[in-house]
């Protein structure tokens, strides 16, 4: 069925409601719009669903959500992990249609005889991860599009361990979702009937309390907090992090917490920001204004589903950094958290002999240096926190390592194992505790970071995202990846590329000898280049947005200057960008 036929079938389908049909009739004659809405079925990928809201097969709507949930239900009922009476926990964020999609997903599961636990209002993603295990569920769902623009929504699936579904489970679920080819195959039921049958349940309030109890248990110097005069500005960016993050900070004893009033209430239209992403400096505009008014020491911003956090701190004299406040990037936050957690645990005799830190192949190499210097193991996984969650489960099952900390460069962090996904609540708490602790030592977080560079080496990273939308965009992303595989670069910024890891073809090639080994990480459309001297580059299509992402990591001696590092990263970026531009013409 081509896109025109799919469009006509939706208008004719008696299962489609009139409001949806009216929306579709309004685009009659707009071939480009019809094609974009119907040229494919919104893919249920390894991270679930994510797309623009609206009517059509390539959109997020109640029909695509129901179909995906029917596929998940079919998988659950076939799984050996499922026992009668086990449920599915479902949470949602602030986005448009999130409550409706959450309810629709629950009712499809209920119609298949599967109990559900939904929350009465929005909740952070890490709380859902915690709830899955706390409630003894077989699976979990979060309705969110994370930090995407307001026109998006999405759907992430979790398994009984509280982590997002990893291989081969994710592929098996995708296969079941793909079998749901007709709305007539989807079961649903009325909410009142589901409640009467004990299938549709509201998650008990104790889930929130127990989650926060576990978050607060990650504090390492809790005794210094009540006396701290640290001033904190916090913004949830209209999202799900407001209540839990404020509670965590307040309950451990932080007194001076100022919330950005314009961004405190949930609002899926994100009226004060163009892009609700704590990676984006523009998202800090109102928080910076309040911070200057309050003379705040630190600013914390969580994304709409509260699994990512951005941090800025008051600048200090002679730091070499411009502005009243300095915004850390995702790798710098990860390094600060890792350094604090490792050194404080070590000082208190709480660092396990078999401790390990987990990060990703596109995150800073500085984490490895921290681990090597402090006697910890270190391992890398593919991009996506589900792989870190998978490692936690593996460590526990094999009794091999004790998980200490994990993070990815895209502002996602997890201290503790209460959740199996990145947790902006615990990250916000620990970074504030670290700021308060170092303050008692006469140090700012900027000084701590600079000292770490001198101690471990100067590492810095950058990311370039190239947006390529629509049918042509998908084709161009494929062209770029194919060209890089057929004609790989031999050097970058004058240094030889010594190793090429192709995770799609599961190969690791030594460029000097030509030897090829099997890659140990799962299959993924990713190319990673190791550069002589400790630098690296990586390219991969985004799994959630119409983008291809270029990552760069540079290493210089700890005595190098900021200008030296900027020049090196700029040269690496320009050289690789030219290769991509050459493919696109």
């Amino acid at each position: 069925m081509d896109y025109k036929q799919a469009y006509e079938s939706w208008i004719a389908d008696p299962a489609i409601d009139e409001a949806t049909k009216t929306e579709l009739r309004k685009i009659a004659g707009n071939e480009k719009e019809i094609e974009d809405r119907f040229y494919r079925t919104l893919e249920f990928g390894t991270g679930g669903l994510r797309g623009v809201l609206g009517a059509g097969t390539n959109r997020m709507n109640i029909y695509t959500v129901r179909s995906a949930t029917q596929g998940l239900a079919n998988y659950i009922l076939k799984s050996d992990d499922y026992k009668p009476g086990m449920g599915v926990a479902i949470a949602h964020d602030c986005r448009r249609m999130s409550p409706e999609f959450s309810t629709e997903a629950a009712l499809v599961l209920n119609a298949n005889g599967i109990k559900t636990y939904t929350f009465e209002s929005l909740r952070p993603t890490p709380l859902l991860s915690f709830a899955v295990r706390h409630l003894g569920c077989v699976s979990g769902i979060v309705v969110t599009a994370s930090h995407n623009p307001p026109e998006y929504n999405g759907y992430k699936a979790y398994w009984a361990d509280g982590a997002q579904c990893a291989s081969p489970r994710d592929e098996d679920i995708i296969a079941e979702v793909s079998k749901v080819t007709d709305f007539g195959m989807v079961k649903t039921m009325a909410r009142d009937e589901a409640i009467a049958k004990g299938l549709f349940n509201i998650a008990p309030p104790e889930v929130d309390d127990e989650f926060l109890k576990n978050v607060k248990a990650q504090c390492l110097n809790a005794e210094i907090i009540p006396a701290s005069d640290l001033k904190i500005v916090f913004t949830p960016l209209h999202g799900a992090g407001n209540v839990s993050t404020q509670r965590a900070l307040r309950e451990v004893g932080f007194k001076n917490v100022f919330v950005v009033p314009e961004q405190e209430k949930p609002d899926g239209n994100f009226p004060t920001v163009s892009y609700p992403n704590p990676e984006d400096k523009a998202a800090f505009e109102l928080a910076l204004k309040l911070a200057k008014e309050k003379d705040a020491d630190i600013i914390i911003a969580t994304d709409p589903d509260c699994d990512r956090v951005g941090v800025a701190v008051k600048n200090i004299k002679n730091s070499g950094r411009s502005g009243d406040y300095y915004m850390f990037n995702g790798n710098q936050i990860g390094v600060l958290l890792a350094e604090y957690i490792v050194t404080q645990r070590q000082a208190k005799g709480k660092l396990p002999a078999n401790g390990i830190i987990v990060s990703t192949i596109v995150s800073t190499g500085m984490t490895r240096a921290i681990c090597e210097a402090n006697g910890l193991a270190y391992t890398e996984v593919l991009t996506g926190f589900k792989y870190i969650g998978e490692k936690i489960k593996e460590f526990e099952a094999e009794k091999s390592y004790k998980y200490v900390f994990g993070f990815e460069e895209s502002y996602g962090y997890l201290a503790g194992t209460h959740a199996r996904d990145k947790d902006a609540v615990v990250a916000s708490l620990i970074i504030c505790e670290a700021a308060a602790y170092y303050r008692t030592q006469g140090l700012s977080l900027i000084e701590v970071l600079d000292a770490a560079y001198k101690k471990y080496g100067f590492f810095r990273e950058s990311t370039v995202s190239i947006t390529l939308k629509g049918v042509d965009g998908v084709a161009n992303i494929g062209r770029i990846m194919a060209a890089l595989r057929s004609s790989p670069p031999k050097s970058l910024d004058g240094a030889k590329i010594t190793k090429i890891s192709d995770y799609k073809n599961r190969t690791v090639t030594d460029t000097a000898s030509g030897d090829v080994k099997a890659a140990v990480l799962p299959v993924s459309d990713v190319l990673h280049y190791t550069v002589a001297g400790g630098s690296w580059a990586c390219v991969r299509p985004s799994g959630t947005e119409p983008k291809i992402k270029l990552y760069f990591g540079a290493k210089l001696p700890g005595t190098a200057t900021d200008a030296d590092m900027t020049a090196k990263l700029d040269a690496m970026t320009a050289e690789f960008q030219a290769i991509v531009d050459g493919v696109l013409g």
Side-chain angles (χ1 to χ4, degrees):
M1 185 185 298
D2 66 19
Y3 71 88
K4 288 184 179 179
Q5 292 172 317
Y7 169 70
E8 294 295 342
S9 72
W10 268 55
I11 291 175
D13 195 330
I16 303 291
D17 65 275
E18 265 315 303
T20 300
K21 291 179 180 180
T22 298
E23 179 183 337
L24 291 174
R25 291 187 187 107
K26 287 179 180 178
I27 63 169
N30 187 340
E31 288 298 309
K32 190 170 182 61
E33 179 68 13
I34 293 171
E35 181 183 30
D36 190 55
R37 287 178 183 240
F38 287 95
Y39 81 93
R40 66 171 187 169
T41 296
L42 189 64
E43 182 181 359
F44 192 95
T46 55
L49 292 172
R50 189 170 298 185
V52 174
L53 289 160
T57 58
N58 188 35
R59 292 289 187 269
M60 279 292 296
N61 51 65
I62 63 170
Y63 302 104
T64 50
V65 167
R66 285 174 179 171
S67 294
T69 308
Q70 183 61 55
L72 177 62
N74 293 343
Y75 177 81
I76 288 171
L77 293 172
K78 292 178 181 178
S79 172
D80 291 338
D81 292 340
Y82 176 68
K83 302 294 185 291
M86 293 179 76
V88 174
I90 304 175
H92 66 81
D93 69 3
C94 62
R95 288 179 177 272
R96 285 180 282 167
M97 296 297 293
S98 281
E100 291 86 350
F101 292 160
S102 175
T103 299
E104 291 292 343
L107 294 174
V108 169
L109 291 164
N110 297 159
N112 283 272
I114 301 169
K115 184 188 299 184
T116 57
Y117 300 93
T118 63
F119 289 87
E120 289 184 298
S121 60
L122 73 175
R123 291 294 192 281
T125 285
L127 194 150
L128 180 281
S129 173
F130 171 82
V132 169
R133 289 191 304 142
H134 182 74
L135 296 171
C137 292
V138 67
S139 181
I141 295 168
V142 176
V143 178
T144 179
S146 188
H147 57 285
N148 281 55
E151 63 269 25
Y152 282 81
N153 210 330
Y155 174 119
K156 295 191 291 187
Y158 292 71
W159 201 242
D161 62 338
Q164 289 186 58
C165 298
S167 180
R169 193 182 312 281
D170 52 0
E171 288 95 345
D172 293 342
I173 293 173
I174 290 167
E176 289 294 338
V177 173
S178 298
K179 293 175 185 176
V180 183
T181 56
D182 185 279
F183 295 136
M185 300 169 70
V186 178
K187 299 177 183 178
T188 188
M189 68 191 305
R191 179 170 174 163
D192 288 346
E193 181 186 357
I195 292 171
K197 290 183 176 180
L199 294 166
F200 188 101
N201 301 278
I202 301 299
E206 71 176 49
V207 176
D208 297 84
D209 297 335
E210 288 299 314
F211 169 71
L212 285 167
K213 179 181 175 182
N214 279 269
V215 165
K216 292 183 292 183
Q218 302 311 313
C219 287
L220 294 163
N221 289 293
E223 70 281 357
I224 62 103
I225 295 174
S228 174
D229 60 353
L230 190 78
K231 292 182 180 179
I232 303 164
V233 162
F234 167 61
T235 173
L237 295 177
H238 302 287
N242 184 43
V243 174
S244 295
T245 307
Q246 281 204 65
R247 260 191 76 182
L249 293 170
R250 183 177 67 251
E251 290 180 8
V252 298
F254 284 112
K255 300 181 292 293
N256 303 311
V257 181
F258 307 98
V259 184
V260 178
E262 300 93 333
Q263 296 173 332
E264 185 171 12
K265 292 184 178 179
D267 191 333
N269 294 309
F270 307 110
T272 64
V273 290
S274 58
Y275 188 36
N277 187 351
E279 299 179 51
D280 185 2
K281 289 183 179 180
F284 276 71
E285 185 178 343
L286 289 173
L288 282 166
K289 180 182 175 184
L290 182 61
K292 290 174 185 178
E293 291 174 6
K294 301 295 185 181
D295 191 30
D297 301 295
I298 188 168
I299 304 170
I300 303 294
T302 56
D303 72 339
D305 68 323
C306 195
D307 63 355
R308 300 172 192 247
V309 62
V311 179
V313 295
K314 187 193 296 182
N315 211 342
I316 57 173
K317 292 180 180 179
N318 305 316
S319 75
R321 296 167 173 86
S322 62
D324 295 323
Y325 286 83
Y326 178 71
M327 184 174 172
F328 294 119
N329 65 37
N331 282 305
Q332 290 170 328
I333 298 168
V335 164
L336 284 166
L337 286 167
E339 175 74 346
Y340 178 71
I341 290 168
V342 169
T343 58
Q344 291 306 300
R345 280 197 173 203
Q346 204 166 50
K348 296 174 186 301
K350 294 181 178 179
L351 192 65
N354 61 340
I356 190 167
I357 288 180
V358 188
S359 194
T360 72
I361 62 171
V362 297
S363 299
T364 181
M366 193 167 174
T367 317
R368 184 186 294 276
I370 292 172
C371 289
E372 289 174 351
N374 291 282
L376 283 172
Y378 173 76
T379 191
E380 289 181 336
V381 295
L382 291 175
T383 306
F385 217 90
K386 69 177 183 178
Y387 297 111
I388 297 177
E390 185 180 32
K391 281 293 178 183
I392 296 173
K393 181 181 179 182
E394 176 187 308
F395 300 151
E396 290 179 346
E398 297 177 356
K399 296 181 172 57
S400 53
Y401 293 104
K402 291 284 187 182
Y403 174 87
V404 173
F405 179 60
F407 82 94
E408 55 185 4
E409 51 76 38
S410 54
Y411 294 65
Y413 316 94
L414 177 63
T417 58
H418 58 283
R420 301 301 165 90
D421 206 345
K422 48 190 178 286
D423 182 358
V425 182
V426 78
S428 297
L429 177 59
I430 301 305
I431 200 70
C432 287
E433 182 194 64
Y437 170 78
Y438 289 124
R439 189 181 180 90
T440 67
Q441 310 299 303
L443 297 170
S444 75
L445 289 177
I446 291 175
E447 290 171 306
V448 174
L449 180 65
D450 287 342
Y453 286 146
K454 289 181 174 62
K455 183 177 177 182
Y456 303 112
F458 196 177
F459 294 77
R460 186 173 292 172
E461 301 73 31
S462 65
T463 305
V464 176
S465 294
I466 303 170
T467 301
L468 298 164
K469 293 184 178 181
V471 182
D472 293 340
V474 173
N476 282 329
I477 289 172
R479 284 174 57 206
I480 292 168
M481 298 303 292
L484 289 170
R485 287 190 168 93
S486 62
S487 302
K490 293 180 172 56
S491 64
L492 201 54
D493 188 34
K496 288 184 178 180
I497 290 173
T498 60
K499 185 172 69 176
I500 301 174
S501 300
D502 184 341
Y503 293 106
K504 183 176 182 180
N505 292 323
R506 302 291 310 277
T507 58
V508 179
T509 303
D510 183 310
T511 59
S513 66
D515 290 345
V516 180
K517 296 180 180 178
V520 296
L521 299 182
V523 174
S524 185
D525 193 6
V526 177
L527 289 165
H528 190 280
Y529 306 90
T530 302
V531 183
S535 297
W536 56 270
C538 184
V539 58
R540 72 175 186 94
S542 170
T544 58
E545 300 171 274
K547 294 178 178 179
I548 188 165
K549 292 189 172 183
L550 313 178
Y551 302 85
F552 305 95
K555 180 187 177 185
L556 289 172
T559 54
T561 66
D562 192 71
D564 294 335
M565 182 60 84
T566 298
K568 184 171 183 64
L569 270 175
D570 285 350
M572 292 173 66
T573 303
E575 191 173 334
F576 211 99
Q577 180 84 54
I579 296 171
V580 173
D581 291 344
V583 175
L584 295 176

